[in-house]
Amino acid sequence: MALTGKQVRQLRSLAHHLNPVVHIGRGDVNDGVIEQTEECLEAHELVKCAVQDGSGLSAREAATVLAESTGADVVQVIGHRFSLYRASSRKDIEHIKLD
């Protein structure tokens, strides 16, 4: 799903206050990181991720690989952190209403 500029701005404002829940370290983007990100996206729809110093990937590279692997959209990349968004299929959570 391609996000519009207005939707990206809305998601960036929501992601600003989040703490990173997915950390990418020395192992880069592996199956465990992809699985953890899938679970977080299903539970929260919007997640912030952090790339540690030991990783061989930049934040932009990690965001692209992780977004392609999970079917998510990259919302923003700043420094060593990035945010991903994917609508959840769960019925028991509060969904983000995009404009």
Side-chain angles (χ1 to χ4, degrees):
M1 172 181 128
L3 297 171
T4 66
K6 187 175 183 179
Q7 292 170 333
V8 169
R9 285 192 303 275
Q10 179 186 2
L11 291 170
R12 281 190 345 220
S13 70
L14 292 172
H16 176 74
H17 302 289
L18 298 177
N19 291 321
V21 292
V22 177
H23 296 274
I24 299 168
R26 201 174 300 179
D28 293 332
V29 178
N30 55 30
D31 292 339
V33 171
I34 293 171
E35 184 177 323
Q36 179 186 9
T37 306
E38 288 272 356
E39 291 172 4
C40 290
L41 284 168
E42 273 301 307
H44 305 290
E45 294 188 327
L46 181 65
V47 296
K48 188 180 277 189
C49 308
V51 178
Q52 305 298 321
D53 290 336
S55 176
L57 297 174
S58 69
R60 171 95 34 213
E61 293 167 339
T64 303
V65 170
L66 206 51
E68 289 173 358
S69 300
T70 60
D73 291 307
V74 178
V75 175
Q76 185 176 34
V77 179
I78 296 180
H80 295 286
R81 296 180 184 202
F82 60 93
S83 303
L84 299 175
Y85 169 78
R86 186 183 73 194
S88 176
S89 59
R90 289 177 48 178
K91 304 287 187 216
D92 62 335
I93 65 167
E94 185 177 338
H95 295 279
I96 297 172
K97 292 174 181 54
L98 295 177
D99 296 333

